[in-house]
Amino acid sequence: MKRALASIAVSLGCAGPQVGVAAGEAAAQNKQCIDMAAAHQIVAGSRNARLYPDQALAQMKADKSFRFSDTELKGIVNNVYFGGASDIGQPMAVYQAVYDACRKGGTDPRWKPLQ
């Protein structure tokens, strides 16, 4: 599950902490992780309220506080309903898992799938 969350974090542009980045860049990266985690949390609330995925997507598109593209929003909805975040019941737990995965920056590049 954490690998799936980390992969969505990387695909949405959360690169995780980087050594030697300026304080402003680190703050921007942190804000991006917060925004992505909050979006996942809201969609998880919609899922738990038994809204259909297309309803959750419409709700996210109507919320102008997020600056995600339509493709990114669809990725978030799909992750919460069908992907790595679908196993997490509580919206706050989804928020924490996505935030942690985003800040970490993805899976360990040394990891390889078992053959």
Side-chain angles (χ1 to χ4, degrees):
M1 174 181 61
K2 285 187 179 183
R3 287 180 24 174
L5 293 173
S7 68
I8 192 86
V10 171
S11 70
L12 294 178
C14 289
Q18 297 176 359
V19 178
V21 296
E25 288 180 42
Q29 286 176 350
N30 189 53
K31 181 177 179 345
Q32 188 176 20
C33 288
I34 289 170
D35 287 349
M36 186 173 57
H40 275 77
Q41 180 182 14
I42 291 169
V43 173
S46 297
R47 177 199 63 200
N48 290 0
R50 310 289 291 159
L51 294 179
Y52 289 100
D54 59 332
Q55 292 172 312
L57 179 62
Q59 181 182 16
M60 292 303 294
K61 285 182 178 181
D63 185 345
K64 300 302 180 193
S65 62
F66 294 108
R67 296 177 189 224
F68 295 112
S69 70
D70 286 353
T71 302
E72 290 168 330
L73 288 174
K74 286 178 185 177
I76 290 169
V77 170
N78 286 336
N79 188 38
V80 171
Y81 278 82
F82 310 107
S86 65
D87 294 336
I88 305 172
Q90 296 302 315
M92 191 60 209
V94 172
Y95 176 95
Q96 191 64 53
V98 171
Y99 179 79
D100 290 345
C102 180
R103 290 300 298 155
K104 181 181 168 197
T107 59
D108 189 326
R110 298 170 296 178
W111 291 354
K112 303 289 183 218
L114 299 174
Q115 300 299 318

